[in-house]
Amino acid sequence: MDLASRYKGVVGFVFGNENSNSSEDSYVERLLDRISNGVLAEDRRNAIAELQTIVAESRAGQLAFGAMGFPVLMGVLKEERDDVEMVRGALETLVSALTPIDHAKGPTNEVQPALMNTDLLSRESESISLLLSLLSEEDFYVRYYTLQILTALLTNSPNRLQEAILSIPRGITRLMDMLMDREVIRNEALLLLTYLTREAEEIQKIVVFEGAFEKIFSIMKEEGGSDGGVVVQDCLELLNNLLRSNASNQVLLRETIGFDPLISILKLRGSSYSFTQQKTINLLSALETINLLMMGGSEADPQKDSNKITNKTVLAQKKLLDHLLMLGVESQWAPIALRCSALRCIGDLVAGHSKNLDALSSKVLGEERQVEPALNSILRIILRTSSMQEFIAADHVFKNFCEKNTDGQAMLASTLIPHPNSMTDASLEEDVNMSFGSMILHGLALSESDGDLETCCRAASVITHILKDNSQCKEKVLQIELEAPMPSLGAPELLLHRIVRYLAVASSMKNKDGKPGYSYVQPIILKLLITWLADCPNAVQCFLDSRPHLTYLLELVSSTSSTVCVRGLAAVLLGECVIYNKCSENGKDSFTIADAISQKIGLTSYFLKFDEMQRSFIFSSVKPAQSHKPLTRSTTASMAEIEDVDENDLTDQKNEDHPILTSVFDAQFVNFVKGLEVNIREKIVDVYSRPKSDVAVVPAELEQKGGESDKEYIKRLKAFVETQCSEIQKLLGRNATLAEDLARTGNSHPELMAGSGSDRVQVETLRRDLQEASQRVEMLKAEKAKIESEALMYQNLAGKLESDLKSLSDAYNSLEQTNIHLEKEAKILKSGGTLTSPDIEAIKAEAREEAQKESEAELNDLLVCLGQEQSKVEKLSARLSELGEDVDKLLEGIGDDMALPEDEDEED
C-alpha cells in the first residue's frame, strides 16, 4: 500500500493537473475493478483491451496502472491460465506498461513511468517465477509477450532479475529451450540471454552446460553466417559473453565444437566482397570473439597463459592468419574499422608465439606477378594510410612481431639498405620492388624532399620496434648512411643524425605552419632516440659527435613552446647521454654533459621536467592493455559510428598532447622511462660526488725531470698548483650548487624531502660530503696561514742577505777606486822620472793581489750562506706548491727596494 500511494503521488507531481490525474486514475481504477470483479468473461476481456490501450498511449495511464494494476493482472495470469485470450491481453498490457512512451517535446528530466513500473515488478520474485512458468505454454503469443516482459525487466533492472532467475529451479533451462522455438520467439530468447549473461558468471556456466555453443553456431549457420542479419550479431554477442574472461568455457569450446565454425564466419564469399552495415558489424563481432580467445581468460586465472598459447596454436592451424590478412591487408575496399580490427588480431596472434611469428614472416601476398611479403604490405599501410587508427593497428603488428624476437629484428634490420636508385626521385607507387628496409629509408627520404614529416614519423615508429632491446641491431643501424637530398648539399649523412635533424625540423615546421598532426611527430621521434641510445654507448657517442645535437637538446628541454611530454622525453634523452656515456674525450664525457645540464638548465628545473611528464595525461592514464568495449546493439547502432571510429579521437585538437600518443606510448614504454628516470638521478648525483679521473695527483709529476732547469721546474709546478686549485674551486662550487638545489627542492616540495628512504640517504650523503669539504677548507686555511708566516720570516732573512751582499759589493768597488787612483799616481811618477817603471808595476801588482785575496775570502763566505738559504727556499717553495699557494706571488717584490740605492750610487 505504501508503494502504491507513492506512485499515486508521483502522478500528481509529474502531470500537475489534479482533475486530469483523478480522471485517469478513476478510469484505470474502474477498468481494474471490471477485470477483477467482472462476471462475464467477455466484459473482462474488453476491460483488459481498453486498459492496454490507455497504458500504451498515456504516461498518466502507465503511472496509474503501476500504482494499482500489477496485483490484478498477476492474479489473472495465475488463475485464468485456461483463458488464453485473457492471458494474452494481460501480458500485452504488461508489455505496454513497461515500454517507454517517447514524446519529442517532453523535458529531459521528466519521470519515466515505464522505468518505475519495471522497478516495481522486478521486486516481486513470485512474479518472475510466474512469468517463467508461462514459457511452457503452447500459445505462441503467450510465450512471445512473456519474453518481451522479461527482456524489459532485464534491461532496466539486470542484477535483480538475474538473482531472481537463479533462485528459480530450471529458470535458465526454460529460456534455453526457447532457442529451439519458432523464429520470432527464438530471436527474443536470444536477445534476453545476451542481456542475462553479460556479467553473471553463474548464469554463463549454466547456459554453456545447457548446450549453448551448439545452438549458437546452429542458428548462425541457418542465418547465413556473416551475411546474416541482426540475429547473427546477437548470437556472436552471446558467444562473446560466454567466452570473455572465462578460460574453462574457452577450453570447452575448443575441445567440443572446435574453432572451425567460428573461422568460417570470417571467410569472405563471392567475388564482389560487398560490405553492408550489418555484415561489417557481424565480422567485427567475430573478430572480437577471436580476440577473446587469444586473451586466454581473466588475469587471475592461473591457466590463462597456457590456454592462450593453445588457442593461438589451434587458430593458426585453422588458417586464421590467411583470413585476417585478407580482411586487414588485401581487402582495401573493406570498412576502416574492420581493417583495423583484423590488423590488431594479426598482432595478437603472433605475440609471444614463435611458430606464428615464423608463419607471418614467411607469408606472401598477391597474385602471380605482384607477389610480396606480408610484412612489406603491412609496412606500406603504415606509410601510406590516411587513417590514424589504421596506422596504430598496423604498427601494433610490428610491435608484437619484434617483441622478444631477436631473429625477427635481425632479419628486418638486415634489409635496411638504401635503394640503389635515388631515393628521393622514386614515388610511393614504385616501392613494390623494394625490400622492407629500403621502403623505410625511402619513406625517410620522401619526408626530406616533400617537407612532410608524417611518413618519417611512422617509419621512425617501425625502426623503434626493430631496435628495442637488441644491441646488435642498434650497432648495425648505427652504420647506415643516407644520401643528401641534393648532391650539392654534401656527403651522405648518418641515419641517427638525420633523425635528430627531423626532430628539430618538426618543431620549426609546427611553429611556422601549424599543420595538424605535427604535435605527435616529436614525441614519436624522441621515443625512437630513447630506445636507440638505451644501453648503447656507441649510439651515445655518435649522437654527441655533432656538437649542435647537445645544444639543441638543452634548448628543447628548456623550451616553453614545447609540450610537457616533449620536454620530459628530451630530458630523458639528455640523461641517457650521461648514464650510457663511455666516452673519455674531453667535452663529450658524462661529467661535461652533467655540467652542461647544471649550467644551462639547473638541476632542480631538470628533475622537475620528469615530474611534470609523469603527471601528464599520457603517462598518468596509461593502462596495462587496451580494453575495447564489447560490441552490442547500442554500440553498433549505426554504420557512421563505426566508420568514424578513427576520427573521433582526433577531433579535439585543443589538448596539449595528441590523442594518438596514448596508443603509441604503451605501459611498457612508460615503465621503461620511469626506470630510466631513477638511473639518471642516481648517475648525476654520482658524477657530482666524485672528481674527474684526470684530476688525480700523480706523484711523478712533482719530481724534476732530467735536463729541466730550475726555472722551468718551478713554472711547471706553478701551473700544476693553479690547475689543482681551479678544480678544487669548481668542486666546491658544484657542491654549493647541489646544496642550493636541495634547499630549494625542500622548500618547494616538502613532500619530496619526506619521501622514500633512498632519497633521504642521498640527501644525508650530500650533506655529509659538504661538511667534510668545509672542514677540509678550514684546515687548508690554517695551514696556509702558517706557511705564510714562515714565508715572511724567510723573506726577511733573504733581505738581510741581500744587504750583506750589497756591502760586499761596495767594498769591492772601493778597492777598484783605490786601484785606479794608484794607477794615476804611477803615471804621474813615471812622467816625472823620479820612479823607475819596474817599481810602479810592482806596487800595482801588490795592491791588486791584496784586494783580490780579501774580496775572494768574503765572497766565498757569502756564497756558502746563500747556498744554504737557497736550499731552504726551494724546499719551502715545493711545500707551498703542494698546498696550492702561488710561490711567485709570495716572492714578488723581494729585493726591489734593495736595488734602489745601488742604482742611485751608479748615477752618482
PDB file of all heavy atoms in Angstrom, residues 459-488:
ATOM      1  N   ALA A 459      57.734   5.833 -40.088  1.00  0.00           N
ATOM      2  CA  ALA A 459      58.904   4.980 -40.287  1.00  0.00           C
ATOM      3  C   ALA A 459      59.738   4.906 -39.012  1.00  0.00           C
ATOM      4  O   ALA A 459      60.276   3.844 -38.668  1.00  0.00           O
ATOM      5  CB  ALA A 459      59.748   5.518 -41.440  1.00  0.00           C
ATOM      6  N   ALA A 460      59.826   6.009 -38.287  1.00  0.00           N
ATOM      7  CA  ALA A 460      60.570   6.018 -37.025  1.00  0.00           C
ATOM      8  C   ALA A 460      59.947   5.077 -36.007  1.00  0.00           C
ATOM      9  O   ALA A 460      60.648   4.419 -35.238  1.00  0.00           O
ATOM     10  CB  ALA A 460      60.625   7.439 -36.470  1.00  0.00           C
ATOM     11  N   SER A 461      58.626   4.991 -36.001  1.00  0.00           N
ATOM     12  CA  SER A 461      57.958   4.088 -35.066  1.00  0.00           C
ATOM     13  C   SER A 461      58.313   2.636 -35.365  1.00  0.00           C
ATOM     14  O   SER A 461      58.537   1.836 -34.446  1.00  0.00           O
ATOM     15  CB  SER A 461      56.444   4.299 -35.141  1.00  0.00           C
ATOM     16  OG  SER A 461      55.768   3.472 -34.226  1.00  0.00           O
ATOM     17  N   VAL A 462      58.393   2.277 -36.647  1.00  0.00           N
ATOM     18  CA  VAL A 462      58.764   0.904 -37.016  1.00  0.00           C
ATOM     19  C   VAL A 462      60.214   0.619 -36.633  1.00  0.00           C
ATOM     20  O   VAL A 462      60.536  -0.455 -36.107  1.00  0.00           O
ATOM     21  CB  VAL A 462      58.533   0.680 -38.526  1.00  0.00           C
ATOM     22  CG1 VAL A 462      58.961  -0.725 -38.920  1.00  0.00           C
ATOM     23  CG2 VAL A 462      57.065   0.896 -38.878  1.00  0.00           C
ATOM     24  N   ILE A 463      61.104   1.578 -36.889  1.00  0.00           N
ATOM     25  CA  ILE A 463      62.514   1.386 -36.523  1.00  0.00           C
ATOM     26  C   ILE A 463      62.647   1.209 -35.015  1.00  0.00           C
ATOM     27  O   ILE A 463      63.498   0.452 -34.542  1.00  0.00           O
ATOM     28  CB  ILE A 463      63.351   2.573 -37.019  1.00  0.00           C
ATOM     29  CG1 ILE A 463      63.309   2.647 -38.557  1.00  0.00           C
ATOM     30  CG2 ILE A 463      64.792   2.463 -36.559  1.00  0.00           C
ATOM     31  CD1 ILE A 463      64.032   3.842 -39.136  1.00  0.00           C
ATOM     32  N   THR A 464      61.807   1.894 -34.250  1.00  0.00           N
ATOM     33  CA  THR A 464      61.840   1.736 -32.792  1.00  0.00           C
ATOM     34  C   THR A 464      61.631   0.284 -32.396  1.00  0.00           C
ATOM     35  O   THR A 464      62.340  -0.249 -31.530  1.00  0.00           O
ATOM     36  CB  THR A 464      60.769   2.624 -32.149  1.00  0.00           C
ATOM     37  OG1 THR A 464      60.981   3.984 -32.518  1.00  0.00           O
ATOM     38  CG2 THR A 464      60.815   2.503 -30.627  1.00  0.00           C
ATOM     39  N   HIS A 465      60.655  -0.365 -33.013  1.00  0.00           N
ATOM     40  CA  HIS A 465      60.389  -1.775 -32.686  1.00  0.00           C
ATOM     41  C   HIS A 465      61.561  -2.669 -33.096  1.00  0.00           C
ATOM     42  O   HIS A 465      61.883  -3.639 -32.392  1.00  0.00           O
ATOM     43  CB  HIS A 465      59.110  -2.240 -33.381  1.00  0.00           C
ATOM     44  CG  HIS A 465      57.911  -1.403 -33.050  1.00  0.00           C
ATOM     45  ND1 HIS A 465      57.637  -0.975 -31.773  1.00  0.00           N
ATOM     46  CD2 HIS A 465      56.905  -0.915 -33.836  1.00  0.00           C
ATOM     47  CE1 HIS A 465      56.523  -0.254 -31.784  1.00  0.00           C
ATOM     48  NE2 HIS A 465      56.068  -0.210 -33.020  1.00  0.00           N
ATOM     49  N   ILE A 466      62.209  -2.351 -34.213  1.00  0.00           N
ATOM     50  CA  ILE A 466      63.330  -3.167 -34.681  1.00  0.00           C
ATOM     51  C   ILE A 466      64.517  -3.072 -33.726  1.00  0.00           C
ATOM     52  O   ILE A 466      65.234  -4.051 -33.503  1.00  0.00           O
ATOM     53  CB  ILE A 466      63.737  -2.743 -36.105  1.00  0.00           C
ATOM     54  CG1 ILE A 466      62.575  -2.986 -37.089  1.00  0.00           C
ATOM     55  CG2 ILE A 466      64.972  -3.484 -36.562  1.00  0.00           C
ATOM     56  CD1 ILE A 466      62.847  -2.497 -38.489  1.00  0.00           C
ATOM     57  N   LEU A 467      64.732  -1.897 -33.137  1.00  0.00           N
ATOM     58  CA  LEU A 467      65.907  -1.671 -32.291  1.00  0.00           C
ATOM     59  C   LEU A 467      65.678  -2.007 -30.823  1.00  0.00           C
ATOM     60  O   LEU A 467      66.649  -2.112 -30.063  1.00  0.00           O
ATOM     61  CB  LEU A 467      66.355  -0.205 -32.388  1.00  0.00           C
ATOM     62  CG  LEU A 467      66.712   0.322 -33.779  1.00  0.00           C
ATOM     63  CD1 LEU A 467      67.184   1.761 -33.681  1.00  0.00           C
ATOM     64  CD2 LEU A 467      67.782  -0.532 -34.427  1.00  0.00           C
ATOM     65  N   LYS A 468      64.449  -2.182 -30.425  1.00  0.00           N
ATOM     66  CA  LYS A 468      64.161  -2.315 -28.993  1.00  0.00           C
ATOM     67  C   LYS A 468      64.854  -3.549 -28.392  1.00  0.00           C
ATOM     68  O   LYS A 468      64.697  -4.667 -28.884  1.00  0.00           O
ATOM     69  CB  LYS A 468      62.645  -2.418 -28.788  1.00  0.00           C
ATOM     70  CG  LYS A 468      62.252  -2.534 -27.324  1.00  0.00           C
ATOM     71  CD  LYS A 468      60.758  -2.708 -27.184  1.00  0.00           C
ATOM     72  CE  LYS A 468      60.394  -2.914 -25.727  1.00  0.00           C
ATOM     73  NZ  LYS A 468      58.953  -3.207 -25.550  1.00  0.00           N
ATOM     74  N   ASP A 469      65.638  -3.309 -27.340  1.00  0.00           N
ATOM     75  CA  ASP A 469      66.300  -4.380 -26.570  1.00  0.00           C
ATOM     76  C   ASP A 469      67.176  -5.277 -27.448  1.00  0.00           C
ATOM     77  O   ASP A 469      67.324  -6.466 -27.169  1.00  0.00           O
ATOM     78  CB  ASP A 469      65.263  -5.236 -25.832  1.00  0.00           C
ATOM     79  CG  ASP A 469      64.456  -4.427 -24.837  1.00  0.00           C
ATOM     80  OD1 ASP A 469      65.000  -3.437 -24.315  1.00  0.00           O
ATOM     81  OD2 ASP A 469      63.290  -4.778 -24.584  1.00  0.00           O
ATOM     82  N   ASN A 470      67.753  -4.746 -28.519  1.00  0.00           N
ATOM     83  CA  ASN A 470      68.593  -5.542 -29.411  1.00  0.00           C
ATOM     84  C   ASN A 470      69.850  -4.741 -29.734  1.00  0.00           C
ATOM     85  O   ASN A 470      69.841  -3.879 -30.625  1.00  0.00           O
ATOM     86  CB  ASN A 470      67.827  -5.896 -30.691  1.00  0.00           C
ATOM     87  CG  ASN A 470      68.496  -6.992 -31.486  1.00  0.00           C
ATOM     88  OD1 ASN A 470      69.712  -7.012 -31.647  1.00  0.00           O
ATOM     89  ND2 ASN A 470      67.701  -7.917 -32.001  1.00  0.00           N
ATOM     90  N   SER A 471      70.933  -5.002 -29.005  1.00  0.00           N
ATOM     91  CA  SER A 471      72.162  -4.229 -29.171  1.00  0.00           C
ATOM     92  C   SER A 471      72.786  -4.449 -30.548  1.00  0.00           C
ATOM     93  O   SER A 471      73.384  -3.524 -31.118  1.00  0.00           O
ATOM     94  CB  SER A 471      73.162  -4.609 -28.071  1.00  0.00           C
ATOM     95  OG  SER A 471      73.415  -6.008 -28.094  1.00  0.00           O
ATOM     96  N   GLN A 472      72.677  -5.653 -31.094  1.00  0.00           N
ATOM     97  CA  GLN A 472      73.267  -5.911 -32.406  1.00  0.00           C
ATOM     98  C   GLN A 472      72.589  -5.075 -33.490  1.00  0.00           C
ATOM     99  O   GLN A 472      73.260  -4.513 -34.362  1.00  0.00           O
ATOM    100  CB  GLN A 472      73.169  -7.399 -32.738  1.00  0.00           C
ATOM    101  CG  GLN A 472      74.009  -8.287 -31.822  1.00  0.00           C
ATOM    102  CD  GLN A 472      73.905  -9.752 -32.200  1.00  0.00           C
ATOM    103  OE1 GLN A 472      73.112 -10.121 -33.065  1.00  0.00           O
ATOM    104  NE2 GLN A 472      74.710 -10.591 -31.546  1.00  0.00           N
ATOM    105  N   CYS A 473      71.268  -5.002 -33.435  1.00  0.00           N
ATOM    106  CA  CYS A 473      70.547  -4.189 -34.420  1.00  0.00           C
ATOM    107  C   CYS A 473      70.878  -2.710 -34.256  1.00  0.00           C
ATOM    108  O   CYS A 473      71.002  -1.973 -35.241  1.00  0.00           O
ATOM    109  CB  CYS A 473      69.038  -4.416 -34.286  1.00  0.00           C
ATOM    110  SG  CYS A 473      68.490  -6.057 -34.811  1.00  0.00           S
ATOM    111  N   LYS A 474      71.042  -2.265 -33.016  1.00  0.00           N
ATOM    112  CA  LYS A 474      71.398  -0.862 -32.792  1.00  0.00           C
ATOM    113  C   LYS A 474      72.745  -0.545 -33.416  1.00  0.00           C
ATOM    114  O   LYS A 474      72.915   0.503 -34.053  1.00  0.00           O
ATOM    115  CB  LYS A 474      71.428  -0.572 -31.295  1.00  0.00           C
ATOM    116  CG  LYS A 474      70.063  -0.616 -30.622  1.00  0.00           C
ATOM    117  CD  LYS A 474      70.174  -0.353 -29.126  1.00  0.00           C
ATOM    118  CE  LYS A 474      68.811  -0.446 -28.451  1.00  0.00           C
ATOM    119  NZ  LYS A 474      68.899  -0.203 -26.983  1.00  0.00           N
ATOM    120  N   GLU A 475      73.725  -1.442 -33.233  1.00  0.00           N
ATOM    121  CA  GLU A 475      75.052  -1.208 -33.802  1.00  0.00           C
ATOM    122  C   GLU A 475      75.011  -1.237 -35.325  1.00  0.00           C
ATOM    123  O   GLU A 475      75.684  -0.450 -35.999  1.00  0.00           O
ATOM    124  CB  GLU A 475      76.037  -2.262 -33.283  1.00  0.00           C
ATOM    125  CG  GLU A 475      76.253  -2.238 -31.777  1.00  0.00           C
ATOM    126  CD  GLU A 475      77.044  -1.029 -31.319  1.00  0.00           C
ATOM    127  OE1 GLU A 475      77.628  -0.346 -32.192  1.00  0.00           O
ATOM    128  OE2 GLU A 475      77.076  -0.756 -30.109  1.00  0.00           O
ATOM    129  N   LYS A 476      74.202  -2.130 -35.876  1.00  0.00           N
ATOM    130  CA  LYS A 476      74.133  -2.254 -37.334  1.00  0.00           C
ATOM    131  C   LYS A 476      73.480  -1.025 -37.955  1.00  0.00           C
ATOM    132  O   LYS A 476      73.985  -0.456 -38.934  1.00  0.00           O
ATOM    133  CB  LYS A 476      73.352  -3.521 -37.713  1.00  0.00           C
ATOM    134  CG  LYS A 476      73.230  -3.735 -39.214  1.00  0.00           C
ATOM    135  CD  LYS A 476      72.527  -5.032 -39.528  1.00  0.00           C
ATOM    136  CE  LYS A 476      72.378  -5.232 -41.029  1.00  0.00           C
ATOM    137  NZ  LYS A 476      73.674  -5.254 -41.715  1.00  0.00           N
ATOM    138  N   VAL A 477      72.371  -0.611 -37.387  1.00  0.00           N
ATOM    139  CA  VAL A 477      71.654   0.543 -37.942  1.00  0.00           C
ATOM    140  C   VAL A 477      72.459   1.814 -37.738  1.00  0.00           C
ATOM    141  O   VAL A 477      72.306   2.785 -38.482  1.00  0.00           O
ATOM    142  CB  VAL A 477      70.256   0.642 -37.296  1.00  0.00           C
ATOM    143  CG1 VAL A 477      69.491   1.855 -37.814  1.00  0.00           C
ATOM    144  CG2 VAL A 477      69.447  -0.624 -37.580  1.00  0.00           C
ATOM    145  N   LEU A 478      73.341   1.814 -36.749  1.00  0.00           N
ATOM    146  CA  LEU A 478      74.163   2.994 -36.476  1.00  0.00           C
ATOM    147  C   LEU A 478      75.094   3.310 -37.644  1.00  0.00           C
ATOM    148  O   LEU A 478      75.521   4.457 -37.807  1.00  0.00           O
ATOM    149  CB  LEU A 478      74.973   2.756 -35.197  1.00  0.00           C
ATOM    150  CG  LEU A 478      75.479   3.975 -34.430  1.00  0.00           C
ATOM    151  CD1 LEU A 478      74.323   4.850 -34.009  1.00  0.00           C
ATOM    152  CD2 LEU A 478      76.264   3.530 -33.214  1.00  0.00           C
ATOM    153  N   GLN A 479      75.421   2.307 -38.445  1.00  0.00           N
ATOM    154  CA  GLN A 479      76.351   2.496 -39.564  1.00  0.00           C
ATOM    155  C   GLN A 479      75.660   2.951 -40.843  1.00  0.00           C
ATOM    156  O   GLN A 479      76.337   3.250 -41.826  1.00  0.00           O
ATOM    157  CB  GLN A 479      77.105   1.182 -39.843  1.00  0.00           C
ATOM    158  CG  GLN A 479      77.734   0.546 -38.613  1.00  0.00           C
ATOM    159  CD  GLN A 479      78.722   1.448 -37.925  1.00  0.00           C
ATOM    160  OE1 GLN A 479      79.452   2.179 -38.584  1.00  0.00           O
ATOM    161  NE2 GLN A 479      78.756   1.399 -36.595  1.00  0.00           N
ATOM    162  N   ILE A 480      74.337   3.001 -40.864  1.00  0.00           N
ATOM    163  CA  ILE A 480      73.608   3.324 -42.096  1.00  0.00           C
ATOM    164  C   ILE A 480      73.757   4.803 -42.415  1.00  0.00           C
ATOM    165  O   ILE A 480      73.621   5.667 -41.538  1.00  0.00           O
ATOM    166  CB  ILE A 480      72.118   2.958 -41.943  1.00  0.00           C
ATOM    167  CG1 ILE A 480      71.971   1.438 -41.768  1.00  0.00           C
ATOM    168  CG2 ILE A 480      71.319   3.437 -43.147  1.00  0.00           C
ATOM    169  CD1 ILE A 480      70.552   0.999 -41.541  1.00  0.00           C
ATOM    170  N   GLU A 481      74.046   5.092 -43.666  1.00  0.00           N
ATOM    171  CA  GLU A 481      74.162   6.466 -44.139  1.00  0.00           C
ATOM    172  C   GLU A 481      73.112   6.715 -45.208  1.00  0.00           C
ATOM    173  O   GLU A 481      72.836   5.850 -46.047  1.00  0.00           O
ATOM    174  CB  GLU A 481      75.558   6.740 -44.707  1.00  0.00           C
ATOM    175  CG  GLU A 481      76.666   6.712 -43.659  1.00  0.00           C
ATOM    176  CD  GLU A 481      78.014   7.063 -44.253  1.00  0.00           C
ATOM    177  OE1 GLU A 481      78.111   7.015 -45.508  1.00  0.00           O
ATOM    178  OE2 GLU A 481      78.941   7.386 -43.501  1.00  0.00           O
ATOM    179  N   LEU A 482      72.537   7.893 -45.189  1.00  0.00           N
ATOM    180  CA  LEU A 482      71.566   8.310 -46.198  1.00  0.00           C
ATOM    181  C   LEU A 482      72.188   9.397 -47.057  1.00  0.00           C
ATOM    182  O   LEU A 482      72.857  10.306 -46.549  1.00  0.00           O
ATOM    183  CB  LEU A 482      70.290   8.839 -45.526  1.00  0.00           C
ATOM    184  CG  LEU A 482      69.498   7.846 -44.665  1.00  0.00           C
ATOM    185  CD1 LEU A 482      68.266   8.525 -44.082  1.00  0.00           C
ATOM    186  CD2 LEU A 482      69.084   6.636 -45.475  1.00  0.00           C
ATOM    187  N   GLU A 483      71.924   9.297 -48.343  1.00  0.00           N
ATOM    188  CA  GLU A 483      72.475  10.308 -49.245  1.00  0.00           C
ATOM    189  C   GLU A 483      71.741  11.625 -49.044  1.00  0.00           C
ATOM    190  O   GLU A 483      70.582  11.665 -48.619  1.00  0.00           O
ATOM    191  CB  GLU A 483      72.350   9.851 -50.692  1.00  0.00           C
ATOM    192  CG  GLU A 483      70.911   9.621 -51.149  1.00  0.00           C
ATOM    193  CD  GLU A 483      70.846   9.135 -52.579  1.00  0.00           C
ATOM    194  OE1 GLU A 483      71.916   8.844 -53.145  1.00  0.00           O
ATOM    195  OE2 GLU A 483      69.728   9.059 -53.115  1.00  0.00           O
ATOM    196  N   ALA A 484      72.424  12.705 -49.310  1.00  0.00           N
ATOM    197  CA  ALA A 484      71.834  14.034 -49.164  1.00  0.00           C
ATOM    198  C   ALA A 484      70.718  14.215 -50.189  1.00  0.00           C
ATOM    199  O   ALA A 484      70.738  13.613 -51.265  1.00  0.00           O
ATOM    200  CB  ALA A 484      72.906  15.110 -49.345  1.00  0.00           C
ATOM    201  N   PRO A 485      69.710  15.034 -49.865  1.00  0.00           N
ATOM    202  CA  PRO A 485      68.619  15.254 -50.826  1.00  0.00           C
ATOM    203  C   PRO A 485      69.110  15.763 -52.172  1.00  0.00           C
ATOM    204  O   PRO A 485      68.557  15.437 -53.209  1.00  0.00           O
ATOM    205  CB  PRO A 485      67.746  16.298 -50.119  1.00  0.00           C
ATOM    206  CG  PRO A 485      68.093  16.179 -48.665  1.00  0.00           C
ATOM    207  CD  PRO A 485      69.521  15.751 -48.608  1.00  0.00           C
ATOM    208  N   MET A 486      70.164  16.562 -52.136  1.00  0.00           N
ATOM    209  CA  MET A 486      70.754  17.068 -53.372  1.00  0.00           C
ATOM    210  C   MET A 486      72.269  16.866 -53.287  1.00  0.00           C
ATOM    211  O   MET A 486      72.861  17.052 -52.221  1.00  0.00           O
ATOM    212  CB  MET A 486      70.448  18.566 -53.549  1.00  0.00           C
ATOM    213  CG  MET A 486      68.961  18.851 -53.679  1.00  0.00           C
ATOM    214  SD  MET A 486      68.641  20.626 -53.776  1.00  0.00           S
ATOM    215  CE  MET A 486      69.548  21.023 -55.268  1.00  0.00           C
ATOM    216  N   PRO A 487      72.903  16.461 -54.378  1.00  0.00           N
ATOM    217  CA  PRO A 487      74.369  16.218 -54.340  1.00  0.00           C
ATOM    218  C   PRO A 487      75.155  17.438 -53.868  1.00  0.00           C
ATOM    219  O   PRO A 487      76.218  17.303 -53.278  1.00  0.00           O
ATOM    220  CB  PRO A 487      74.700  15.864 -55.791  1.00  0.00           C
ATOM    221  CG  PRO A 487      73.406  15.367 -56.367  1.00  0.00           C
ATOM    222  CD  PRO A 487      72.320  16.163 -55.697  1.00  0.00           C
ATOM    223  N   SER A 488      74.629  18.623 -54.126  1.00  0.00           N
ATOM    224  CA  SER A 488      75.368  19.833 -53.751  1.00  0.00           C
ATOM    225  C   SER A 488      75.362  20.083 -52.249  1.00  0.00           C
ATOM    226  O   SER A 488      76.102  20.932 -51.758  1.00  0.00           O
ATOM    227  CB  SER A 488      74.756  21.047 -54.459  1.00  0.00           C
ATOM    228  OG  SER A 488      73.386  21.201 -54.093  1.00  0.00           O
TER     229      SER A 488
END
